[in-house]
């Protein structure tokens, strides 16, 4: 918001932000951001693990120094912004496990793909606003691509859900139970792609608001239990020892 005051003042959705209205000073805003960001990264690094802290620091850099300026330069900002949104659940995984493995990438992938139908549908109804603010958004400069990308990532959620048991993150119940959720958002994504109007974009956007919590709740209930994981690890370990014993 510190960087975007002149542009936010031209948009209806952002013209009442505190910095735009002069309710707080730019110096106070920067000090507040630093007083949250620096101790936050230190806390993650020292009290959780260095990997999680590094991801947090990288995400702040990616948002402020890459995504924010890109919004006025290229539609690539949406893809960079999706990475920013995908990193927090990855941090949750690394905080719990200390490793950046398949489960972390799967969670990040789900959040990454979900953001395209969510944001592209939202931005469709804000095209005039973004145009006034001088922001380079797909919905303004590439409306056809905006709708196609939203539909592609709705369908990608089906594939990512199917990959969860293959990566040993959930049981096979997850892709089955999540299929109706993913098919419904894909149907709305197709309607948005075909109709290209405010009604279809609004329906897709509001669906995205309840789709993600439900999908993650189903994923949580279908996760592989710790006992299953431990049994599998013990089986693999005993198999390895048996192989070693047979070797001369």
């Amino acid at each position: 918001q510190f960087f975007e005051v002149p542009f936010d003042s031209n948009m209806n959705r952002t013209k009442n932000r505190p910095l735009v209205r002069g309710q707080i000073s730019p110096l106070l805003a920067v000090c507040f951001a630093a007083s949250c960001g620096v101790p936050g990264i230190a806390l993650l690094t020292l009290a959780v693990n260095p990997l999680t802290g590094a991801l947090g620091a990288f995400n702040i850099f990616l948002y402020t120094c890459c995504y924010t300026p890109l919004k006025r330069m290229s539609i690539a900002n949406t893809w960079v912004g999706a990475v920013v949104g995908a990193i927090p659940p990855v941090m949750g995984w690394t905080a719990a496990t200390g490793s950046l493995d398949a489960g972390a990438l799967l969670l990040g992938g789900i959040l990454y793909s979900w953001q395209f139908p969510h944001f592209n549908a939202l931005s469709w109804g804000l095209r005039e606003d973004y145009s006034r603010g001088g922001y380079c958004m797909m919905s303004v400069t590439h409306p056809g691509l905006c709708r196609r990308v939203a539909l592609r990532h709705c369908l990608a959620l089906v594939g990512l859900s199917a990959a969860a048991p293959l990566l040993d993150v959930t049981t096979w119940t997850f892709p089955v139970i999540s299929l109706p959720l993913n098919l419904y958002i894909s149907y709305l994504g197709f309607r948005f792609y075909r109709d290209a109007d405010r009604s279809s974009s609004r329906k897709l956007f509001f669906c995205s608001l309840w789709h993600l919590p439900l999908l993650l709740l189903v994923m949580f209930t279908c996760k592989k239990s710790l006992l299953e994981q431990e049994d599998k690890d013990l089986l693999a370990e005993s198999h390895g020892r048996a192989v070693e014993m047979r070797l001369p």
Side-chain angles (χ1 to χ4, degrees):
Q1 291 184 35
F2 169 78
F3 291 126
E4 295 180 330
V5 170
F7 318 118
D8 284 349
S9 62
N10 295 323
M11 296 175 59
N12 289 329
R13 67 185 290 261
T14 54
K15 66 183 181 183
N16 290 319
R17 285 179 171 175
L19 278 170
V20 176
R21 297 181 64 185
Q23 292 174 314
I24 60 173
S25 69
L27 178 61
L28 179 60
V30 172
C31 290
F32 176 74
S35 68
C36 292
V38 174
I41 293 168
L43 187 64
L44 287 172
T45 303
L46 300 174
V48 183
N49 57 57
L51 175 59
T52 306
L55 285 170
F58 174 69
N59 219 24
I60 292 174
F61 168 79
L62 193 63
Y63 192 95
T64 56
C65 300
C66 300
Y67 171 65
T68 298
L70 265 177
K71 287 196 286 184
R72 298 183 54 79
M73 297 166 56
S74 168
I75 62 170
N77 73 79
T78 306
W79 282 268
V80 176
V83 174
V84 172
I87 288 177
V90 174
M91 292 170 63
W93 188 280
T94 61
T97 66
S99 63
L100 195 61
D101 54 22
L105 298 178
L106 177 66
L107 276 177
I110 289 174
L111 264 291
Y112 179 83
S113 282
W114 171 84
Q115 285 173 95
F116 287 95
H118 173 74
F119 178 74
N120 287 15
L122 172 66
S123 66
W124 191 262
L126 299 171
R127 285 176 292 172
E128 295 84 359
D129 235 15
Y130 281 126
S131 184
R132 279 196 301 271
Y135 291 108
C136 194
M137 296 298 176
M138 268 190 286
S139 58
V140 177
T141 60
H142 299 74
L145 180 64
C146 176
R147 303 193 309 274
R148 288 196 300 274
V149 169
L151 176 58
R152 287 171 193 163
H153 282 276
C154 286
L155 296 171
L157 290 169
V158 179
L160 287 165
S161 298
L166 295 173
L167 296 174
D168 212 29
V169 176
T170 69
T171 64
W172 281 99
T173 311
F174 173 62
V176 175
I177 297 178
S178 65
L179 186 60
L181 296 173
N182 291 329
L183 288 179
Y184 183 65
I185 198 171
S186 297
Y187 165 72
L188 293 181
F190 173 74
R191 288 284 302 272
F192 174 50
Y193 167 75
R194 185 190 66 185
D195 299 341
D197 58 16
R198 287 182 183 271
S199 175
S200 59
S201 68
R202 199 178 303 114
K203 288 177 182 176
L204 178 59
F205 171 72
F206 282 114
C207 173
S208 71
L209 296 180
W210 57 259
H211 170 273
L212 182 64
L214 274 182
L215 184 67
L216 294 179
L217 179 63
V218 172
M219 191 177 193
F220 173 75
T221 56
C222 297
K223 69 175 182 177
K224 284 286 184 73
S225 71
L226 288 175
L227 288 175
E228 286 182 78
Q229 294 283 3
E230 288 173 2
D231 288 345
K232 190 170 183 178
D233 292 342
L234 286 172
L235 186 62
E237 187 180 341
S238 62
H239 177 70
R241 286 176 180 169
V243 170
E244 287 178 8
M245 289 173 65
R246 286 199 298 267
L247 291 174

